[in-house]
Amino acid sequence: MNDKPVYVTRPYLPPLEELQPYLEQIWANRQLTNGGSFHQQLEQALCEYLRVEHISLFANGTMALVTALQALRITGEVITTPYSFVATAHSLLWNGIKPVFVDIDPETFNLDPAKIEAAITPQTTAILPVHVYGRPCDTQRIQAVADNYGLKVIYDAAHAFAVEDEGGSVLRHGDLSVLSFHATKVFTTFEGGAIVSPDEKTKKRIDYLKNFGFIDEVTVVAPGINGKMNEFQAAVGLVQLKHIDSALSERAEVAVRYREHLSGIDGVHFLPIASQGAANNSYFPLLIQPAYPVSRDELYGILKDNGISARRYFYPLISDFPMYRGLPSAQRSNLSVAAMVASQVLCLPIYPGLDMSTVDRVCDMISAAQ
C-alpha cells in the first residue's frame, strides 16, 4: 500500500518563487484589498482568457452566489437542482428565497429542462441551474422556458471554468454566471469566486453590493456586504493563470487513462465523452450500478482502505438535508433520477500532478472487484 493519500482533487501549486515578486509588490504598495492593482489585473486577465466582457471578483463562490441573487433582486421561489453542493441552495435561503427542486437529466446530471415548466408557480422568479462537473446545461431549452415565463436565469458555474460550447464561453448564458475559485477547483485562488455579467451597468451594481454598497467614500446606495477578493488571492490567481492550460491538459490525460482502463467493466458507467471544449475534467464521476459485484459504498471503502480518497459527489442530495427535506419539491418521488445517481456516483482522483501509476492502481482495484 502507498502511504501517501490520494485525494479526489488537489490544487496545482506553482513554484513558490513565482509568487514571491507579487508578495513583494503587495508589501511595497501597502494595499492589501479594496480593488488593488492585482485585483484589477486579474479581472482583466480572466476576461481575456475566458472570453467574457465583465467579471467581478469575490472572496469566495458562495458570497458570489448570494450577491448574484441580490443583484437581480430575486425573490419568492427559484427552481434549482437537488444534485449540487449545498451552497447552491443555501444561497437561496440566505436571501429568503424558497428553493423548488426539479429532477435531473440521466445523461448529463444537469437540471432537466423538460421538468422545469411543471414546477413554475406565480411566485417563481428565476431558475438556478448548475453546470455539473463542468458539463454545460441545455442552455437553449432553459432560456426558452425562462423567456416564456419572464424568469431570470443565474448559472451556478462553480465547476465550469474555461468550458465552452459551440458559440463560445458557457459563461455567457443566462443573466449571470457564478464561478468558484476554491482550492478544489480547476482554477484556484485558494478561496475565491466571480460573477460574469452581461453589461457594465450590472457589473457596477455587483461591485457596489460586494463592497457594502459604497460608490464613493461617503455614499452608500445598497445594503451590500463584504465580498471583496484581497490582493493575495488575486496574486495567486495571476500565477495560476499562467499554468492553467497545462493543468487542463494533464486533467484530460488522466480522464483518457481512466476510460481506457475501466471501459467494458460490467456495472461501471461513464458520462458520455463531451465535445471539444465542453468539459474541463474538473471531476471524473462513475456510476457504480447493480451489475457491479459490490455496492458503490463498498467500493468506496475498498479504495479508502488503500489510501484512495474517492468521493460520493453529490451524496446525499441537497433535498435530503434537514433544512430542505420538508419542502414538497424535495420528495423522492419528485427526484427519482437524482436519487438514483446520488446512490451510485463515485468520483475518482483527477488533478495535475497525479501520476499515471496511481491512476493505474485505482483502475486495478476497481477491476479486481469483478
Side-chain angles (χ1 to χ4, degrees):
M1 174 180 166
N2 188 335
D3 292 332
K4 184 178 179 181
V6 179
Y7 301 98
V8 171
T9 186
R10 299 178 73 178
Y12 171 76
L13 295 179
L16 190 58
E17 55 265 26
E18 286 192 38
L19 189 59
Q20 186 67 29
Y22 293 88
L23 297 181
E24 291 174 356
Q25 190 63 54
I26 292 171
W27 261 244
N29 290 345
R30 294 291 195 269
Q31 183 169 7
L32 306 183
T33 185
N34 289 350
S37 61
F38 291 144
H39 176 282
Q40 295 176 44
Q41 288 176 41
L42 182 58
E43 282 196 344
Q44 181 60 38
L46 286 173
C47 282
E48 293 172 1
Y49 185 82
L50 297 172
R51 296 199 293 156
V52 298
E53 291 188 17
H54 305 285
I55 195 164
S56 300
L57 298 176
F58 276 78
N60 60 65
T62 304
M63 196 71 74
L65 274 173
V66 170
T67 304
L69 292 158
Q70 283 280 324
L72 296 183
R73 299 177 175 88
I74 304 301
T75 59
E77 296 178 358
V78 169
I79 293 170
T80 192
T81 174
Y83 193 74
S84 181
F85 185 62
V86 291
T88 304
H90 282 0
S91 68
L92 297 171
L93 288 193
W94 273 87
N95 279 288
I97 297 166
K98 179 181 178 181
V100 175
F101 297 112
V102 164
D103 211 354
I104 63 174
D105 181 277
E107 293 299 315
T108 67
F109 306 166
N110 290 328
L111 193 67
D112 187 344
K115 305 288 181 63
I116 294 174
E117 190 168 15
I120 295 173
T121 75
Q123 287 71 48
T124 307
T125 58
I127 307 169
L128 179 57
V130 179
H131 299 299
V132 175
Y133 307 134
R135 290 167 168 261
C137 293
D138 190 335
T139 54
Q140 291 187 355
R141 291 178 66 192
I142 290 172
Q143 193 62 52
V145 175
D147 290 344
N148 196 34
Y149 287 89
L151 306 178
K152 299 291 187 182
V153 180
I154 299 174
Y155 280 101
D156 182 336
H159 297 171
F161 188 90
V163 173
E164 297 190 343
D165 59 19
E166 66 280 358
S169 173
V170 74
L171 303 174
R172 75 189 189 283
H173 293 293
D175 294 277
L176 296 172
S177 285
V178 180
L179 288 159
S180 171
F181 303 148
H182 184 262
T184 58
K185 299 300 187 288
V186 168
F187 171 85
T188 179
T189 56
F190 293 2
E191 290 279 1
I195 300 177
V196 176
S197 306
D199 54 65
E200 182 64 28
K201 181 180 179 181
T202 306
K203 174 177 165 53
K204 281 185 178 180
R205 174 165 169 76
I206 289 167
D207 289 344
Y208 295 154
L209 285 170
K210 75 175 184 180
N211 187 29
F212 305 101
F214 278 102
I215 63 171
D216 60 37
E217 189 176 344
V218 296
T219 308
V220 175
V221 295
I225 53 175
N226 185 6
K228 303 184 300 294
M229 177 180 283
N230 62 55
E231 284 292 89
F232 178 77
Q233 288 176 284
V236 170
L238 287 167
V239 175
Q240 283 272 336
L241 202 54
K242 297 177 181 178
H243 300 271
I244 187 63
D245 288 335
S246 61
L248 291 170
S249 178
E250 288 186 50
R251 285 177 174 273
E253 290 171 5
V254 172
V256 168
R257 188 78 157 220
Y258 277 134
R259 287 184 181 273
E260 288 176 349
H261 285 251
L262 298 176
S263 294
I265 298 178
D266 287 345
V268 174
H269 175 76
F270 302 105
L271 282 168
I273 297 175
S275 59
Q276 182 70 28
N280 56 12
N281 298 294
S282 55
Y283 293 89
F284 193 86
L286 303 174
L287 293 187
I288 305 302
Q289 298 177 326
Y292 190 72
V294 301
S295 71
R296 186 274 309 271
D297 289 347
E298 288 173 316
L299 177 58
Y300 169 81
I302 291 169
L303 293 172
K304 187 174 182 180
D305 290 344
N306 284 275
I308 307 296
S309 295
R311 188 170 181 185
R312 296 165 290 187
Y313 199 62
F314 300 99
Y315 167 82
L317 296 175
I318 296 175
S319 50
D320 289 339
F321 292 116
M323 66 288 302
Y324 301 108
R325 64 188 176 210
L327 295 171
S329 64
Q331 300 307 304
R332 280 299 179 99
S333 58
N334 185 53
L335 306 170
S336 58
V337 176
M340 179 272 293
V341 172
S343 71
Q344 297 181 359
V345 71
L346 191 66
C347 290
L348 302 182
I350 184 168
Y351 50 85
L354 179 62
D355 63 64
M356 292 303 177
S357 64
T358 301
V359 174
D360 293 345
R361 186 162 65 93
V362 173
C363 294
D364 288 344
M365 280 185 272
I366 296 173
S367 298
Q370 293 187 93

